[in-house]
Amino acid sequence: MGDNPHPLKRSSSFGLLPPNMSELRVVLLGNSWSQRSSVGNFILGTTVFNTEGEPDHCQRVSGTLKNKIVLINTPDLLHPNMSEIKLTEHVETCVRLSDPGPHVFLLVLQPEDFTEEHKLRLKSILENFSDQAFDHSLVLIPTPREESPGYIVKFMEDPQIKDMIRMCRYRFLWQKTIDLPELLTRLGQIVKENNGDHVSCDVFKETTSSLPADHQSPKQKGPQTSVIGAVKSAASGFRIVLLGKSEDKQTKLGNFIIGDQKNKKQKR
Protein backbone atom coordinates (compact mmCIF):
# COMPACT_ATOMS: atom_id res chain seq x y z
CA MET A 1 0.00 0.00 0.00
CA GLY A 2 3.04 2.27 0.30
CA ASP A 3 4.43 4.19 3.25
CA ASN A 4 1.07 4.64 4.97
CA PRO A 5 -1.19 1.53 4.73
CA HIS A 6 -3.46 2.60 7.57
CA PRO A 7 -6.47 4.87 7.59
CA LEU A 8 -6.34 8.33 9.12
CA LYS A 9 -6.02 8.33 12.88
CA ARG A 10 -8.48 10.03 15.18
CA SER A 11 -7.65 13.61 16.01
CA SER A 12 -9.53 16.34 17.81
CA SER A 13 -7.20 19.10 16.62
CA PHE A 14 -9.24 19.83 13.51
CA GLY A 15 -12.60 21.53 13.59
CA LEU A 16 -15.15 21.19 10.83
CA LEU A 17 -14.35 24.44 8.98
CA PRO A 18 -11.91 27.33 9.16
CA PRO A 19 -13.48 30.41 10.82
CA ASN A 20 -13.78 32.37 7.56
CA MET A 21 -15.82 29.68 5.75
CA SER A 22 -19.61 29.75 5.69
CA GLU A 23 -20.25 26.30 4.21
CA LEU A 24 -18.62 23.01 3.27
CA ARG A 25 -19.42 21.69 -0.23
CA VAL A 26 -18.99 17.94 -0.73
CA VAL A 27 -19.46 15.95 -3.95
CA LEU A 28 -20.41 12.28 -3.53
CA LEU A 29 -18.90 9.93 -6.12
CA GLY A 30 -18.65 6.15 -6.29
CA ASN A 31 -19.93 2.93 -7.80
CA SER A 32 -23.14 2.47 -5.76
CA TRP A 33 -26.03 4.96 -5.67
CA SER A 34 -27.48 3.20 -2.63
CA GLN A 35 -24.23 3.53 -0.68
CA ARG A 36 -23.65 7.15 -1.72
CA SER A 37 -27.18 8.04 -0.67
CA SER A 38 -26.84 6.20 2.64
CA VAL A 39 -23.65 8.13 3.39
CA GLY A 40 -25.37 11.41 2.49
CA ASN A 41 -28.28 10.59 4.81
CA PHE A 42 -25.78 9.61 7.52
CA ILE A 43 -23.98 12.96 7.24
CA LEU A 44 -27.15 15.08 7.38
CA GLY A 45 -28.82 12.90 10.00
CA THR A 46 -32.05 12.53 8.03
CA THR A 47 -33.37 10.80 4.92
CA VAL A 48 -32.85 13.26 2.10
CA PHE A 49 -31.72 10.82 -0.61
CA ASN A 50 -33.82 7.91 -1.79
CA THR A 51 -31.53 4.90 -1.57
CA GLU A 52 -33.71 2.77 -3.82
CA GLY A 53 -34.59 4.73 -6.96
CA GLU A 54 -31.58 6.27 -8.69
CA PRO A 55 -32.35 9.54 -10.51
CA ASP A 56 -30.81 10.48 -13.85
CA HIS A 57 -29.53 13.84 -12.59
CA CYS A 58 -27.38 15.34 -9.85
CA GLN A 59 -29.07 16.28 -6.58
CA ARG A 60 -28.06 19.09 -4.25
CA VAL A 61 -29.16 19.20 -0.60
CA SER A 62 -27.91 21.14 2.38
CA GLY A 63 -28.17 21.00 6.14
CA THR A 64 -26.72 22.65 9.19
CA LEU A 65 -24.59 20.74 11.65
CA LYS A 66 -21.80 22.69 13.33
CA ASN A 67 -21.67 24.64 10.07
CA LYS A 68 -23.66 24.56 6.86
CA ILE A 69 -22.85 21.54 4.72
CA VAL A 70 -23.88 21.10 1.08
CA LEU A 71 -23.95 17.65 -0.52
CA ILE A 72 -24.08 17.07 -4.28
CA ASN A 73 -25.01 13.48 -5.05
CA THR A 74 -24.33 12.20 -8.55
CA PRO A 75 -25.98 9.52 -10.69
CA ASP A 76 -23.96 6.48 -11.71
CA LEU A 77 -21.16 8.25 -13.56
CA LEU A 78 -19.11 5.04 -13.56
CA HIS A 79 -21.64 3.06 -15.57
CA PRO A 80 -19.84 1.68 -18.66
CA ASN A 81 -22.83 2.38 -20.91
CA MET A 82 -22.98 6.09 -20.12
CA SER A 83 -22.01 8.13 -23.17
CA GLU A 84 -19.29 10.75 -23.01
CA ILE A 85 -21.85 13.43 -23.88
CA LYS A 86 -24.11 12.43 -21.00
CA LEU A 87 -21.16 12.14 -18.64
CA THR A 88 -20.01 15.64 -19.57
CA GLU A 89 -23.51 17.01 -18.96
CA HIS A 90 -23.61 15.45 -15.49
CA VAL A 91 -20.16 16.79 -14.58
CA GLU A 92 -21.07 20.27 -15.81
CA THR A 93 -24.25 20.14 -13.72
CA CYS A 94 -22.23 19.04 -10.71
CA VAL A 95 -19.88 21.99 -11.24
CA ARG A 96 -22.81 24.41 -11.33
CA LEU A 97 -24.44 22.94 -8.23
CA SER A 98 -21.17 23.19 -6.29
CA ASP A 99 -20.39 26.73 -7.49
CA PRO A 100 -17.84 28.23 -6.93
CA GLY A 101 -16.33 24.76 -6.46
CA PRO A 102 -16.38 21.71 -4.17
CA HIS A 103 -14.14 21.49 -1.12
CA VAL A 104 -14.12 17.69 -0.88
CA PHE A 105 -14.79 14.73 -3.16
CA LEU A 106 -16.07 11.90 -0.96
CA LEU A 107 -15.45 8.68 -2.88
CA VAL A 108 -17.81 6.00 -1.58
CA LEU A 109 -16.32 2.81 -3.01
CA GLN A 110 -18.08 -0.54 -2.65
CA PRO A 111 -15.13 -2.98 -2.91
CA GLU A 112 -17.20 -6.01 -3.98
CA ASP A 113 -18.17 -4.27 -7.23
CA PHE A 114 -15.33 -1.80 -7.80
CA THR A 115 -13.59 -2.89 -11.02
CA GLU A 116 -10.55 -1.62 -12.89
CA GLU A 117 -12.91 0.00 -15.39
CA HIS A 118 -14.60 1.85 -12.51
CA LYS A 119 -11.21 3.00 -11.25
CA LEU A 120 -10.08 4.34 -14.61
CA ARG A 121 -13.39 6.11 -15.19
CA LEU A 122 -13.40 7.66 -11.71
CA LYS A 123 -9.80 8.80 -12.19
CA SER A 124 -10.76 10.42 -15.49
CA ILE A 125 -13.79 12.16 -13.94
CA LEU A 126 -11.72 13.62 -11.10
CA GLU A 127 -9.05 14.81 -13.53
CA ASN A 128 -11.77 16.48 -15.60
CA PHE A 129 -12.89 18.43 -12.55
CA SER A 130 -9.37 19.65 -11.82
CA ASP A 131 -5.78 18.49 -11.69
CA GLN A 132 -6.00 19.24 -7.95
CA ALA A 133 -9.05 17.03 -7.35
CA PHE A 134 -7.09 14.21 -5.70
CA ASP A 135 -5.75 16.66 -3.11
CA HIS A 136 -9.38 17.20 -2.08
CA SER A 137 -10.49 13.56 -2.13
CA LEU A 138 -11.25 11.05 0.61
CA VAL A 139 -12.06 7.36 0.09
CA LEU A 140 -14.84 6.02 2.31
CA ILE A 141 -15.31 2.26 2.27
CA PRO A 142 -18.86 1.35 3.35
CA THR A 143 -19.84 -1.71 5.31
CA PRO A 144 -19.88 -4.71 2.95
CA ARG A 145 -23.18 -6.31 2.08
CA GLU A 146 -22.00 -9.59 3.60
CA GLU A 147 -19.35 -9.48 6.30
CA SER A 148 -16.95 -12.39 6.57
CA PRO A 149 -13.78 -13.06 8.59
CA GLY A 150 -10.82 -11.17 7.20
CA TYR A 151 -12.87 -9.02 4.85
CA ILE A 152 -10.93 -5.88 5.78
CA VAL A 153 -7.61 -7.46 4.81
CA LYS A 154 -9.18 -8.82 1.64
CA PHE A 155 -10.51 -5.45 0.55
CA MET A 156 -7.31 -3.63 1.45
CA GLU A 157 -5.39 -5.97 -0.84
CA ASP A 158 -7.73 -5.26 -3.75
CA PRO A 159 -5.54 -3.57 -6.39
CA GLN A 160 -8.26 -1.15 -7.54
CA ILE A 161 -9.03 0.05 -4.01
CA LYS A 162 -5.32 0.32 -3.23
CA ASP A 163 -4.71 2.44 -6.31
CA MET A 164 -7.56 4.83 -5.49
CA ILE A 165 -6.38 5.24 -1.91
CA ARG A 166 -2.85 5.93 -3.15
CA MET A 167 -4.09 8.54 -5.64
CA CYS A 168 -6.08 10.20 -2.81
CA ARG A 169 -2.86 10.70 -0.79
CA TYR A 170 -3.73 7.69 1.43
CA ARG A 171 -6.84 9.36 2.83
CA PHE A 172 -9.44 6.70 3.59
CA LEU A 173 -11.86 5.61 6.26
CA TRP A 174 -13.98 2.56 7.05
CA GLN A 175 -17.58 3.61 7.57
CA LYS A 176 -18.16 0.83 10.10
CA THR A 177 -15.44 2.11 12.43
CA ILE A 178 -16.31 5.83 12.51
CA ASP A 179 -19.07 8.01 13.87
CA LEU A 180 -20.42 11.23 12.37
CA PRO A 181 -18.14 13.64 14.31
CA GLU A 182 -15.13 11.65 13.13
CA LEU A 183 -16.20 11.82 9.49
CA LEU A 184 -16.91 15.55 9.71
CA THR A 185 -13.52 16.08 11.32
CA ARG A 186 -11.84 14.30 8.41
CA LEU A 187 -13.69 16.45 5.90
CA GLY A 188 -12.64 19.57 7.78
CA GLN A 189 -9.07 18.31 7.91
CA ILE A 190 -8.95 18.06 4.12
CA VAL A 191 -10.24 21.63 3.85
CA LYS A 192 -7.57 22.88 6.23
CA GLU A 193 -4.83 20.94 4.45
CA ASN A 194 -5.83 22.86 1.31
CA ASN A 195 -5.84 26.22 3.16
CA GLY A 196 -9.61 26.47 2.92
CA ASP A 197 -9.51 26.57 -0.89
CA HIS A 198 -12.13 24.85 -3.01
CA VAL A 199 -11.44 23.01 -6.25
CA SER A 200 -11.29 25.37 -9.22
CA CYS A 201 -13.03 23.53 -12.06
CA ASP A 202 -11.24 25.26 -14.93
CA VAL A 203 -12.26 22.72 -17.56
CA PHE A 204 -15.89 23.84 -17.40
CA LYS A 205 -15.39 27.49 -16.48
CA GLU A 206 -16.31 28.66 -20.01
CA THR A 207 -19.56 26.68 -19.90
CA THR A 208 -20.67 27.89 -16.49
CA SER A 209 -19.71 31.50 -17.16
CA SER A 210 -21.88 31.47 -20.29
CA LEU A 211 -25.01 30.54 -18.38
CA PRO A 212 -27.49 33.12 -17.12
CA ALA A 213 -27.19 33.94 -13.42
CA ASP A 214 -30.25 31.90 -12.43
CA HIS A 215 -28.73 28.77 -14.00
CA GLN A 216 -25.58 29.24 -11.94
CA SER A 217 -27.42 29.48 -8.64
CA PRO A 218 -26.30 26.71 -6.25
CA LYS A 219 -29.86 26.54 -4.95
CA GLN A 220 -31.19 25.15 -8.22
CA LYS A 221 -32.32 21.54 -8.03
CA GLY A 222 -32.91 18.87 -10.64
CA PRO A 223 -31.32 18.31 -14.01
CA GLN A 224 -29.94 21.25 -15.93
CA THR A 225 -31.13 22.16 -19.41
CA SER A 226 -28.64 21.26 -22.12
CA VAL A 227 -26.98 24.11 -23.99
CA ILE A 228 -28.12 23.78 -27.60
CA GLY A 229 -26.49 26.81 -29.18
CA ALA A 230 -24.39 29.85 -28.33
CA VAL A 231 -23.84 33.21 -30.02
CA LYS A 232 -20.80 35.40 -29.41
CA SER A 233 -20.82 39.06 -30.34
CA ALA A 234 -17.61 40.09 -32.05
CA ALA A 235 -18.20 43.70 -31.03
CA SER A 236 -18.07 43.28 -27.27
CA GLY A 237 -17.23 39.65 -26.50
CA PHE A 238 -20.63 39.31 -24.82
CA ARG A 239 -21.82 35.68 -24.78
CA ILE A 240 -25.45 34.65 -25.13
CA VAL A 241 -26.68 31.10 -24.61
CA LEU A 242 -29.73 30.04 -26.62
CA LEU A 243 -31.90 27.38 -25.00
CA GLY A 244 -34.94 25.68 -26.48
CA LYS A 245 -36.33 22.72 -28.38
CA SER A 246 -36.16 24.14 -31.91
CA GLU A 247 -32.68 24.31 -33.38
CA ASP A 248 -34.04 26.09 -36.47
CA LYS A 249 -35.53 28.91 -34.41
CA GLN A 250 -32.32 29.22 -32.40
CA THR A 251 -30.30 29.52 -35.62
CA LYS A 252 -32.60 32.24 -36.95
CA LEU A 253 -32.46 34.12 -33.67
CA GLY A 254 -28.67 33.82 -33.57
CA ASN A 255 -28.35 35.18 -37.09
CA PHE A 256 -30.70 38.02 -36.19
CA ILE A 257 -28.64 38.97 -33.13
CA ILE A 258 -25.35 38.81 -35.00
CA GLY A 259 -26.78 40.87 -37.85
CA ASP A 260 -28.21 43.41 -35.45
CA GLN A 261 -24.84 43.81 -33.73
CA LYS A 262 -23.09 44.32 -37.09
CA ASN A 263 -25.61 46.98 -38.13
CA LYS A 264 -25.10 48.86 -34.88
CA LYS A 265 -21.35 48.74 -35.36
CA GLN A 266 -21.64 50.12 -38.90
CA LYS A 267 -23.89 52.98 -37.74
CA ARG A 268 -21.28 54.03 -35.22
Side-chain angles (χ1 to χ4, degrees), residues 29 91 105 107 119-135 137 164 166-167 169 199-204:
L29 295 170
V91 174
F105 293 100
L107 312 182
K119 180 193 72 175
L120 295 176
R121 198 169 180 88
L122 180 56
K123 179 176 181 290
S124 176
I125 290 170
L126 288 169
E127 289 173 344
N128 278 336
F129 272 104
S130 170
D131 58 1
Q132 299 176 339
F134 287 104
D135 292 330
S137 295
M164 285 307 306
R166 176 184 56 79
M167 286 186 282
R169 320 304 184 228
V199 175
S200 178
C201 305
D202 296 332
V203 173
F204 301 104

Side-chain angles (χ1 to χ4, degrees), residues 77-226:
L77 304 184
L78 306 186
H79 197 286
N81 293 334
M82 180 174 291
S83 68
E84 289 300 320
I85 294 177
K86 195 66 177 176
L87 177 62
T88 300
E89 288 180 0
H90 285 315
V91 174
E92 289 175 353
T93 300
C94 187
V95 169
R96 288 191 290 267
L97 295 179
S98 61
D99 183 63
H103 296 102
V104 179
F105 293 100
L106 186 56
L107 312 182
V108 184
L109 306 184
Q110 187 70 43
E112 297 103 315
D113 305 321
F114 191 67
T115 65
E116 181 178 9
E117 186 176 9
H118 286 150
K119 180 193 72 175
L120 295 176
R121 198 169 180 88
L122 180 56
K123 179 176 181 290
S124 176
I125 290 170
L126 288 169
E127 289 173 344
N128 278 336
F129 272 104
S130 170
D131 58 1
Q132 299 176 339
F134 287 104
D135 292 330
H136 294 255
S137 295
L138 168 67
V139 172
L140 178 64
I141 303 178
T143 303
R145 290 187 292 269
E146 296 182 6
E147 296 184 35
S148 59
Y151 75 89
I152 292 182
V153 175
K154 175 184 175 182
F155 290 156
M156 291 310 300
E157 291 302 317
D158 182 276
Q160 318 312 332
I161 296 294
K162 289 172 66 175
D163 279 352
M164 285 307 306
I165 291 175
R166 176 184 56 79
M167 286 186 282
C168 295
R169 320 304 184 228
Y170 299 99
R171 299 189 189 95
F172 75 99
L173 293 169
W174 291 92
Q175 185 177 358
K176 185 178 180 179
T177 63
I178 63 169
D179 53 17
L180 180 57
E182 173 70 4
L183 177 56
L184 295 177
T185 297
R186 296 300 150 236
L187 298 178
Q189 180 177 352
I190 292 175
V191 174
K192 289 194 173 185
E193 288 174 355
N194 289 283
N195 300 314
D197 294 334
H198 58 75
V199 175
S200 178
C201 305
D202 296 332
V203 173
F204 301 104
K205 187 173 293 185
E206 181 70 16
T207 300
T208 54
S209 65
S210 299
L211 288 172
D214 59 339
H215 283 272
Q216 297 186 55
S217 172
K219 295 182 180 180
Q220 183 172 348
K221 297 180 181 180
Q224 305 296 307
T225 306
S226 299

